[in-house]
Amino acid sequence: MEASFAIPGDLETRTGGYGYARALIAAAPAAGLTLRHLPLPDGFPHPTAEALDRTRAVLSATGGPLLIDGLALGVLPAEWVRALQGPVIALCHHPLALETGLTGDVASMLSLTEAAALSACTQVIVPSPATARDLCAIGVAPHKLTVAPPGLERARAASRLGDPPVILSVGTLTPRKGHDVLIDALAGIVALPWHCVIAGPVDRDPVWAEMLFRRAAASGLSERVTFAGAQDSAGLNALYAAADIFCLPSRHEGYGMVFAEAMMRGLPVVAARSGAVPDLVPTGEAGAAGGAGLLVPPGDAAALGAAIEALLRDPMRRGALAAAARVHALSLPEWDDTARIVADVFRAALPASAAVNQV
């Protein structure tokens, strides 16, 4: 089978959503599906009128099966989607309206446009049951939804020899990722030895990133918090290998690939109990046996600081969570598994004659 995969902006962008797209394109041929990258203009989910017109022209000129990334699809008029040669399948990482920082009017508009556009698709692929529930809540029919969790590459566990212990946070510097909460939490535990590395692109929301830099400086953390910027695979692997604790207090996650990556390295996780995170990061009984991390209420800097402090003060507990995190990560799917699920969605969506002709 062959299909076009329409993705807005630069495919090499270092975020989880683009990472999912790159890995899926690479793994799909082994599952019998070739995905041809179809570039769309940048600027989604708030495109200019010109970008929308260009997107309509690109999609209309594309025949055959089509996979469209939800970052763009969620703001396309439903009638455009229905007019495309099908089948049209969406890949929705999380509802656009759940991005932090939107006004009520913008969030309401995004919910309406995304629900209509997704409902016009043949099928919708999501990364987690939590995202499936979120889409059902805005009116997408359950029978259209298929969960295809991101794959997880196997990797070595971290050495965890930090002196002082290193707290690693990986995520784009945007409001949804909660780095402001992390900085406030760290400001409350300065009496303990630690160093924090925050890695992630700063260009998605430069104003927010600059605010974070100033917030860290104003809290007296300039020497203890390093903003490492966007990282390639080698750089990210090096940061994981040198870390002792992983912390990303996102206000919402459609899946949270970095949590899985951290657990694969045997890092205990401290995060917010939001979106898909509780499904991905087991906590066990009060974070003890069987738990891979500690989860706190979203936006609660005091609770986040207390959780980090608990692990800094108790290396044995930190080690137990680290070991459980590694075991749990090894049970998660790989990209070949993801690709098989996506390929099966295409097979089911294609008419029998078309499926035979494309084999």
Side-chain angles (χ1 to χ4, degrees):
M1 297 179 293
E2 293 186 355
S4 298
F5 189 178
I7 305 167
D10 183 0
L11 182 58
E12 297 305 315
T13 301
R14 311 306 296 188
T15 67
Y18 284 98
Y20 188 117
R22 291 191 299 271
L24 181 59
I25 290 171
L33 174 65
T34 298
L35 292 172
R36 299 183 301 271
H37 177 211
L38 183 65
L40 298 179
D42 204 352
F44 286 93
H46 306 290
T48 63
E50 179 185 2
L52 268 178
D53 288 342
R54 288 171 54 202
T55 297
R56 185 179 191 182
V58 169
L59 295 177
S60 297
T62 304
L66 184 61
L67 178 63
I68 306 179
D69 188 273
L71 189 63
L73 185 130
V75 295
L76 299 182
E79 58 268 23
W80 291 11
V81 179
R82 283 190 289 268
L84 295 173
Q85 298 182 44
V88 177
I89 295 170
L91 172 59
C92 180
H93 302 288
H94 68 82
L96 297 176
L98 294 183
E99 192 65 48
T100 301
L102 301 176
T103 65
D105 288 346
V106 171
S108 296
M109 179 193 70
L110 287 174
S111 282
L112 290 173
T113 60
E114 187 165 34
L118 291 174
S119 296
C121 294
T122 307
Q123 285 287 308
V124 181
I125 296 168
V126 296
S128 67
T131 297
R133 292 192 294 270
D134 288 337
L135 293 184
C136 286
I138 64 172
V140 180
H143 72 269
K144 288 197 170 189
L145 297 167
T146 297
V147 176
L152 178 59
E153 294 183 7
R154 274 37 187 170
R156 292 183 178 181
S159 59
R160 297 185 301 281
L161 297 176
D163 184 16
V166 174
I167 302 162
L168 176 63
S169 187
V170 177
T172 306
L173 271 59
T174 60
R176 181 169 57 86
K177 296 298 183 178
H179 293 108
D180 55 325
V181 183
L182 174 58
I183 291 169
D184 291 349
L186 294 175
I189 55 172
V190 291
L192 295 174
W194 53 263
H195 187 81
C196 179
V197 177
I198 298 176
V202 302
D203 56 350
R204 303 293 287 184
D205 192 335
V207 174
W208 179 260
E210 182 61 31
M211 184 280 294
L212 293 175
F213 303 155
R214 292 196 305 269
R215 196 182 196 109
S219 300
L221 301 178
S222 296
E223 300 299 319
R224 302 187 68 177
V225 175
T226 298
F227 290 93
Q231 298 287 316
D232 59 16
S233 295
L236 195 54
N237 285 335
L239 290 178
Y240 279 126
D244 298 271
I245 296 170
F246 183 85
C247 181
L248 182 65
S250 299
R251 293 176 168 93
H252 182 81
E253 288 287 351
Y255 181 80
M257 291 168 60
V258 291
F259 296 105
E261 292 172 359
M263 290 187 291
M264 175 57 69
R265 271 64 173 202
L267 295 178
V269 172
V270 181
R273 192 178 294 106
S274 62
V277 177
D279 295 332
L280 179 59
V281 181
T283 56
E285 189 68 26
L294 306 178
L295 302 183
V296 303
D300 191 333
L304 187 71
I308 296 172
E309 180 177 1
L311 296 189
L312 291 173
R313 290 189 180 278
D314 190 344
M316 290 186 63
R317 186 182 189 190
R318 198 164 75 219
L321 292 173
R326 173 76 175 177
V327 170
H328 177 62
L330 290 170
S331 73
L332 295 175
E334 299 184 62
W335 282 110
D336 287 348
D337 302 312
T338 309
R340 281 193 292 270
I341 295 172
V342 173
D344 286 344
V345 170
F346 274 92
R347 290 190 183 94
L350 285 168
S353 59
V356 170
N357 291 335
Q358 293 201 53
V359 172

